[in-house]
Amino acid sequence: MTKKITMQDIADQLNISKNSVSQALTGKAGVSEKTRHLVEATARELGYEYLPLRKNYHYNSDRKTIKIALIASDYAFSLKGFFGEIYLSMEKEITSQNNSLMIQSISKEAIESLELPSFILNGAVDGVLILSHLRTEYIQKIISTGIPAVLVDHHHPHINADAVLTNNRFGAFIAVEHLVNLGHKEIGFVGNISISPSYYERLEGFQLALSQYGLNKDDSVILTDIEEDEDSVKAAMKRVSKQPTAWFCVNDGLGFLVSSYLLQSGYKIPKHISVCNFDNGQLSKLATPKITTMDIDLELFGKRAVEQLLWRINNKETANQEVLLPATLLVRESTGPAPK
C-alpha cells in the first residue's frame, strides 16, 4: 500500500518546519515567495494532495489584520522625549494600515526572570517591536518563540533579529569633524559606553575622526563611564586637570549637564569651550546657549521599524538585516572657533 504523503514529508524533504509548509500551501503570510513556490513544487513531485487556494498576499491586505506588539523596559518608556516620539510614529504607521498595536512595559523583575508577556507566549501576535535595549537573554527568548521581531535602536552580536538603528559611528564622526573644522585640536568625550551599543559606537566614531584628522587621543579627557546625573558629571569634570577646547557628549542629558557645569565654573560657551552632543532632544533646545547636536528623524525611525517588521512577517527565512538611518548635524550657538 502506497504511503500517504503528509506535510511533514514535505518539510523533511526541504529541511524546513511543518508550519512553514502549511503556511505556503494555505496562502498564509510567514514564508517568502521563493519558499512558497518550492513547497508547492515539492508537493506536486511527492504527490501531496492539496487545494491551492492561495492568492497574492500583502501585509496590508484587507483579508488580515496584523497584530503587532511593542515592548520596552520601564526605563525606556520613561524617556518620553526620545522613545515617545518613536512610539507615536509607530502607532501612526500601524493604525494607518488598519493593523493593531499592543503595548507592554517590561519590568526589571520580568527581565531578570525571563518572564515573557502572555501574548508572546500564546502566539497571539504576528510580530514584536522591541524598543531600546533589554537583556540579551530576554530578547533571545522572544526570538526562540518564532514570532518575527525587530529591534529598535539596539542590536547585539548574539541577537539574531532585524534591527533599525542610527548610524552612530558616522554621526559621531560628523559631529567631531565639525569641531575640527572650527580649529579644535583638543576634544574630549563624555558618555557611558556600558549602557548601550549606541554609545560605544559613538565613541568609535569619535576616535575615527581623531585618527582621520591626525589628532592625538588624550585619555584624560575621554570619559567613558559617566552616569547621567549632575553629581557624576560634576565629579568627573573636576577630575580633569586641563579642560579641552571642546567636548563631544553621547546624548542630550550629558551635553546639558556638561554645559551647565562649565557655565557654573565660569567658562563661557563657546568662547572658552565648545559643546556638541547627539539626539537633538528638548534639553539641547532648552539649554543656554542652545547646543549643537546630531539630529535623528524619530518619525522616520518609527515608520521604518514598522515597515521592516511587516516585511519580516512575510519573509521569515531571509537573512537578518540591519537598517542604518542617518543623523544630521544641527549647528547651534554652543560651538564656535577654538580659542587662540
Side-chain angles (χ1 to χ4, degrees):
M1 184 175 178
T2 304
K3 176 180 180 290
K4 183 179 180 180
I5 302 299
T6 66
M7 286 189 182
Q8 188 61 58
D9 295 321
I10 300 171
D12 293 341
Q13 178 82 3
L14 298 175
N15 196 27
I16 61 176
S17 69
K18 180 181 176 182
N19 184 55
S20 294
V21 173
S22 175
Q23 289 172 320
L25 296 181
T26 57
K28 293 181 179 179
V31 294
S32 66
E33 283 301 302
K34 179 180 178 181
T35 299
R36 198 184 301 279
H37 291 314
L38 184 60
V39 169
E40 290 174 346
T42 303
R44 288 193 295 269
E45 290 172 7
L46 295 178
Y48 179 77
E49 296 180 5
Y50 73 101
L51 185 62
L53 298 174
R54 180 172 65 90
K55 298 179 181 178
N56 289 332
Y57 179 87
H58 301 283
Y59 63 75
N60 60 351
S61 169
D62 291 337
R63 84 181 180 92
K64 184 182 179 190
T65 297
I66 304 296
K67 299 181 182 68
I68 295 174
L70 169 62
I71 66 170
S73 67
D74 291 342
Y75 174 74
F77 274 128
S78 73
L79 302 176
K80 296 179 182 178
F82 186 85
F83 292 121
E85 290 190 43
I86 296 178
Y87 151 66
L88 290 174
S89 175
M90 290 175 176
E91 183 180 45
K92 179 181 176 182
E93 183 69 14
I94 291 168
T95 56
S96 71
Q97 299 179 23
N98 296 318
N99 292 320
S100 65
L101 176 63
M102 184 180 299
I103 303 167
Q104 178 72 55
S105 177
I106 310 298
S107 69
K108 184 178 180 180
E109 294 73 23
I111 294 170
E112 290 301 318
S113 62
L114 302 181
E115 180 183 348
L116 300 184
S118 59
F119 53 77
I120 292 179
L121 288 173
N122 299 334
V125 293
D126 300 297
V128 183
L129 293 164
I130 304 172
L131 184 58
S132 189
H133 51 287
L134 294 171
R135 183 181 171 191
T136 296
E137 292 80 5
Y138 191 89
I139 297 175
Q140 288 173 329
K141 188 171 182 180
I142 293 173
I143 294 169
S144 71
T145 67
I147 299 174
V150 170
L151 278 62
V152 184
D153 196 41
H154 180 59
H155 62 161
H156 189 279
H158 295 160
I159 299 175
N160 296 315
D162 293 351
V164 178
L165 310 157
T166 302
N167 195 332
N168 293 294
R169 293 183 184 87
F170 285 6
F173 179 96
I174 295 299
V176 177
E177 182 179 57
H178 165 66
L179 296 171
V180 173
N181 289 337
L182 290 170
H184 294 279
K185 296 181 179 179
E186 301 170 7
I187 305 171
F189 174 95
V190 181
N192 188 339
I193 61 174
S194 66
I195 288 181
S196 167
S198 296
Y199 295 164
Y200 190 90
E201 291 159 9
R202 292 173 192 181
L203 172 62
E204 291 177 328
F206 168 88
Q207 294 173 326
L208 180 63
L210 295 186
S211 175
Q212 178 82 24
Y213 288 97
L215 301 182
N216 293 326
K217 187 179 74 167
D218 182 355
D219 290 334
S220 69
V221 292
I222 299 179
L223 313 178
T224 60
D225 59 352
I226 308 304
E227 298 295 330
E228 193 176 330
D229 64 69
E230 185 176 2
D231 291 341
S232 295
V233 169
K234 185 176 181 179
M237 290 289 109
K238 284 186 173 182
R239 289 194 298 269
V240 174
S241 58
K242 181 179 180 293
Q243 286 285 334
T245 63
W247 286 103
F248 169 69
C249 307
V250 297
N251 64 16
D252 280 303
L254 287 169
F256 182 85
L257 291 170
V258 167
S259 295
S260 299
Y261 170 81
L262 293 173
L263 292 171
Q264 291 167 11
S265 300
Y267 295 97
K268 293 182 179 179
I269 300 173
K271 182 178 180 180
H272 299 144
I273 301 178
S274 289
V275 177
C276 182
N277 66 23
F278 215 110
D279 290 343
N280 189 31
Q282 286 298 318
L283 290 175
S284 291
K285 304 167 190 175
L286 294 174
T288 304
K290 292 181 175 65
I291 301 175
T292 294
T293 188
M294 296 305 298
D295 179 52
I296 300 172
D297 188 338
L298 299 180
E299 184 172 354
L300 175 62
F301 217 125
K303 183 176 187 295
R304 190 64 188 84
V306 173
E307 290 175 345
Q308 186 65 25
L309 180 60
L310 294 173
W311 178 86
R312 174 54 64 190
I313 289 170
N314 281 327
N315 297 272
K316 289 183 179 178
E317 297 178 18
T318 306
N320 295 328
Q321 299 182 358
E322 288 193 344
V323 179
L324 289 182
L325 301 178
T328 305
L329 179 68
L330 290 181
V331 179
R332 297 192 178 117
E333 297 89 349
S334 70
T335 53
K340 296 180 180 179

